[in-house]
Amino acid sequence: TTTTTSSTSRKPIAFSRALNSAATNDSSTEEDFRMTTTPPQTFPSLTTHTFVGKVESEIVRRYGEDETERVLQSWRLLDKEYVHREYVGVDETVDPATSNSYQYAHSYVPGLTCKPFWDIQKDGLTWSKKLSSSYKQIRKEFLDATSDMGKLNQEGNNIWAGALTEEAGSYGEGWSTLVLKDRGIWDEVNCNLFPKTAKLVHNSGIPATEVFFAAMKPNTDIKLHSDFTNFVLTSHLAIDIPENGNNKCRLTIGDETRQWMNGDVMVFDTSVMHDAINETDDTRYILMFRLWHPDLTDAERGALQFIYDSLSVPELLDDNAAVRAAAEEKIEAMRNFPMLKTVTAGFGGGGAKTSKKKKKKGKK
């Protein structure tokens, strides 16, 4: 079965007030984010017949109430339309009144570590080394595949879709994406256009919920904004950076700025206010990931993934056992890594190109 991705915006997988997208107002003014809020007290849902109540009940049944308390609280806070705002700056020389180091999240799991950039070494993000070591293979496949945009547009799904929705407006017209994985589901069509990349990412062990190439046009910027979700981090593998090393393509998280460098992996928290700029005359390309926050337990990841699955396939909550079973099979099939036309060797793994076997000649 071929999985397609119809989204025109690669904002992270926030739940939202509508339970399916990030908050509708993306234009965060100074008055919006420069404040601190405190989560209100939450209680178990009393309306188990509603979608919200059914999701909560099923999370408890599958993963346990104590084991998923933080996720349940996040789900209840969302139902209350709570928006978390908090100053997370650590530089004492920076005035909080003018700082951009504020976490701003509509989809908020309490108790998770928040810092602008994560340290690849100290924080034990071992998958990053595997991705970085595969940079040349990924870059070559990307440049080869995108050299014929006519063919790519004809064969692929939503190639270089722009941030067209209202909630993604801060990304601007200069930002576009090419999706390989969305909310835990691989795009079989696009993965077969980039089979080496898909296989290398899959074998790296990165706990990614989303994988996509992102383009940023020449002399454009991404305005200051939040991605509204604190339980996923963002990572970039720099693929093709114009004027590499000249500090012309930069990303700022809170009050800290870094430049993209070809082959380098960065991990950062986009629930903190951030912006970006490309000051060159060429397009900047990266391979981008949304990944589960390292502080989440397996049970919490499972609970969060179940929420996404329920949004995609609401029959998971059906009262009919046969309908639920069919929905489970559908989700399982959707989540499987796709069959690739060309299977290549990954990290320490083998593989072979699909080919027809020659008939052996012999006596009749």
Side-chain angles (χ1 to χ4, degrees):
T1 302
T2 299
T3 300
T4 60
T5 304
S6 59
S7 174
T8 56
S9 164
R10 298 304 337 127
K11 294 288 283 184
I13 45 182
F15 293 142
S16 91
R17 294 167 183 160
L19 305 181
N20 202 21
S21 62
T24 55
N25 182 10
D26 183 74
S27 301
S28 304
T29 64
E30 292 185 6
E31 291 75 19
D32 284 328
F33 72 84
R34 287 195 178 96
M35 63 175 70
T36 295
T37 57
T38 302
Q41 189 173 4
T42 63
F43 302 93
S45 175
L46 299 178
T47 53
T48 55
H49 63 281
T50 65
F51 179 82
V52 171
K54 286 183 176 181
V55 167
E56 181 168 326
S57 296
E58 190 63 15
I59 287 174
V60 171
R61 186 187 74 81
R62 289 176 178 235
Y63 303 102
E65 185 171 9
D66 292 341
E67 292 81 357
T68 59
E69 177 56 34
R70 294 192 299 186
V71 174
L72 293 172
Q73 186 177 359
S74 174
W75 188 238
R76 296 163 189 163
L77 288 173
L78 182 67
D79 194 39
K80 288 178 173 288
E81 299 189 0
Y82 172 74
V83 179
H84 187 75
R85 300 174 177 88
E86 181 180 358
Y87 179 64
V88 293
V90 294
D91 188 344
E92 296 182 356
T93 66
V94 177
D95 184 357
T98 57
S99 170
N100 290 330
S101 291
Y102 280 83
Q103 186 174 57
Y104 184 17
H106 298 87
S107 294
Y108 173 73
V109 173
L112 301 182
T113 302
C114 181
K115 49 188 173 183
F117 288 92
W118 287 62
D119 189 298
I120 298 296
Q121 302 295 331
K122 292 181 180 179
D123 294 320
L125 306 176
T126 56
W127 50 263
S128 63
K129 294 182 179 179
K130 297 178 180 179
L131 287 176
S132 187
S133 67
S134 302
Y135 156 69
K136 291 183 179 179
Q137 296 177 65
I138 294 174
R139 174 185 166 89
K140 183 180 186 305
E141 182 177 64
F142 174 80
L143 294 177
D144 288 346
T146 56
S147 64
D148 187 346
M149 286 305 303
K151 179 180 179 182
L152 198 61
N153 281 313
Q154 184 176 7
E155 296 182 357
N157 286 327
N158 299 305
I159 302 300
W160 298 129
L164 302 178
T165 64
E166 179 183 358
E167 60 97 25
S170 60
Y171 278 73
E173 296 180 358
W175 193 77
S176 55
T177 64
L178 194 166
V179 175
L180 300 182
K181 187 179 187 181
D182 181 29
R183 291 197 296 185
I185 298 171
W186 293 93
D187 187 312
E188 183 176 351
V189 171
N190 288 351
C191 283
N192 271 293
L193 297 175
F194 300 89
K196 291 182 181 178
T197 298
K199 186 70 173 179
L200 288 166
V201 170
H202 180 63
N203 286 355
S204 73
I206 182 174
T209 59
E210 297 182 2
V211 181
F212 53 95
F213 293 105
M216 190 174 182
K217 291 182 179 179
N219 298 299
T220 61
D221 62 5
I222 297 175
K223 304 300 183 184
L224 184 67
H225 69 288
S226 167
D227 286 346
F228 302 126
T229 309
N230 81 323
F231 51 80
V232 290
L233 301 180
T234 300
S235 178
H236 290 174
L237 171 62
I239 299 297
D240 190 15
I241 309 302
E243 297 191 37
N244 187 54
N246 290 335
N247 205 35
K248 294 290 187 178
C249 294
R250 302 184 302 277
L251 170 70
T252 300
I253 309 293
D255 301 315
E256 185 176 350
T257 300
R258 297 185 183 182
Q259 65 172 317
W260 284 285
M261 295 284 290
N262 281 332
D264 284 357
V265 174
M266 289 194 292
V267 180
F268 43 93
D269 191 333
T270 52
S271 69
V272 178
M273 300 299 293
H274 60 284
D275 56 47
I277 192 167
N278 176 4
E279 293 180 324
T280 76
D281 295 328
D282 296 298
T283 301
R284 180 232 64 182
Y285 294 103
I286 59 171
L287 183 58
M288 189 165 174
F289 311 91
R290 309 288 191 192
L291 56 139
W292 294 122
H293 194 292
D295 288 354
L296 293 171
T297 65
D298 289 342
E300 289 172 328
R301 291 184 187 186
L304 290 166
Q305 184 62 57
F306 176 76
I307 294 175
Y308 297 134
D309 291 345
S310 298
L311 292 169
S312 299
V313 184
E315 291 81 6
L316 286 169
L317 302 171
D318 199 277
D319 293 332
N320 186 297
V323 173
R324 292 198 305 273
E328 291 282 2
E329 291 183 5
K330 181 178 180 180
I331 282 292
E332 188 65 28
M334 292 168 63
R335 199 181 295 129
N336 287 338
F337 187 69
M339 292 290 293
L340 301 178
K341 295 177 182 178
T342 303
V343 182
T344 56
F347 301 112
K353 294 183 178 180
T354 303
S355 59
K356 295 181 178 179
K357 293 183 178 180
K358 293 182 180 180
K359 294 183 178 178
K360 294 182 179 179
K361 293 182 179 180
K363 295 180 180 181
K364 292 183 180 180

